[in-house]
């Protein structure tokens, strides 16, 4: 399966590589993310924890906000890598809906076994800017 010029397998591999950079000394739950932009560029993220736990940033939001900072606004797909193939948290789903509502989402475990879904399926009946009338 392909997503633009970067295949799903390649994006998953990038998320797995990003996971190696996770700073997770408290939970020891390393997460990596790789966002694919429409121009073919890939933006990486990993979770970055903090001794003040709520200051922790999830891998997905690191990648998605970095994409914005790199002027990548047309986002095609995101791959998320954890040890066990865990699903993105609610806050990350909300940010996906904001910044990449049409993204395909690949969720992989550490072995590279991934499943495919969409932001829409992860967050049905979403709240977006269109609701702010
Ligand atoms: N985490 C993510 O990076 N993404 C998610 O979608 C779920 C949770 C991180 C936050 C924290 O560093 C660790 O996983 C355990 O919650």
């Amino acid at each position: 399966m392909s997503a633009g010029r970067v295949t799903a397998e390649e994006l998953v591999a990038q998320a797995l590589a990003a996971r190696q950079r996770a700073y997770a000394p408290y939970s020891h739950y390393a997460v990596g993310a790789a966002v694919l932009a429409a121009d073919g560029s890939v933006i990486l993220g990993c979770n970055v924890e903090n001794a003040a736990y709520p200051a922790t940033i999830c891998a997905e939001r690191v990648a998605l906000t970095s994409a914005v900072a790199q002027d990548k606004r047309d986002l095609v797909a995101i791959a998320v890598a954890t040890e066990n193939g865990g699903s993105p948290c609610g806050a990350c789903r909300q940010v996906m809906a904001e910044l990449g509502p049409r993204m395909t989402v690949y969720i992989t475990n550490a072995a590279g076994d991934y499943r495919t879904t969409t932001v829409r399926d992860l967050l049905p009946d979403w709240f977006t800017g269109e609701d702010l009338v």
Side-chain angles (χ1 to χ4, degrees), residues 37-75:
D39 66 1
S41 57
V42 174
I43 303 96
L44 303 181
C46 61
N47 55 330
V48 181
E49 297 188 345
N50 194 289
Y53 294 173
T56 291
I57 310 172
C58 288
E60 299 94 317
R61 279 179 282 157
V62 169
L64 290 161
T65 54
S66 292
V68 172
Q70 294 172 40
D71 202 24
K72 308 297 182 186
R73 293 283 188 89
D74 190 359
L75 306 180

Side-chain angles (χ1 to χ4, degrees), residues 23-32 46-50 53 56-61 80-82 86-93 96:
Y23 176 73
Y26 305 107
S27 75
H28 305 290
Y29 191 74
V31 186
C46 61
N47 55 330
V48 181
E49 297 188 345
N50 194 289
Y53 294 173
T56 291
I57 310 172
C58 288
E60 299 94 317
R61 279 179 282 157
V80 182
T82 61
S87 204
C89 79
C92 288
R93 295 177 193 208
M96 289 178 194

Side-chain angles (χ1 to χ4, degrees), residues 3-133:
R5 281 168 278 165
V6 178
T7 67
E9 287 75 15
E10 288 167 345
L11 199 65
V12 163
Q14 296 254 41
L16 288 165
R19 180 171 177 260
Q20 300 302 315
R21 303 174 193 160
Y23 176 73
Y26 305 107
S27 75
H28 305 290
Y29 191 74
V31 186
V35 170
L36 175 63
D39 66 1
S41 57
V42 174
I43 303 96
L44 303 181
C46 61
N47 55 330
V48 181
E49 297 188 345
N50 194 289
Y53 294 173
T56 291
I57 310 172
C58 288
E60 299 94 317
R61 279 179 282 157
V62 169
L64 290 161
T65 54
S66 292
V68 172
Q70 294 172 40
D71 202 24
K72 308 297 182 186
R73 293 283 188 89
D74 190 359
L75 306 180
V76 174
I78 183 170
V80 182
T82 61
E83 181 65 32
N84 59 350
S87 204
C89 79
C92 288
R93 295 177 193 208
Q94 183 64 32
V95 175
M96 289 178 194
E98 180 74 29
L99 299 177
R102 291 174 305 283
M103 288 192 302
T104 300
V105 182
Y106 305 108
I107 301 171
T108 187
N109 64 16
D113 300 319
Y114 69 89
R115 62 189 190 276
T116 304
T117 184
T118 64
V119 176
R120 194 53 156 152
D121 282 346
L122 286 172
L123 193 63
D125 198 20
W126 59 25
F127 180 86
T128 71
E130 291 179 9
D131 293 300
L132 289 175
V133 291

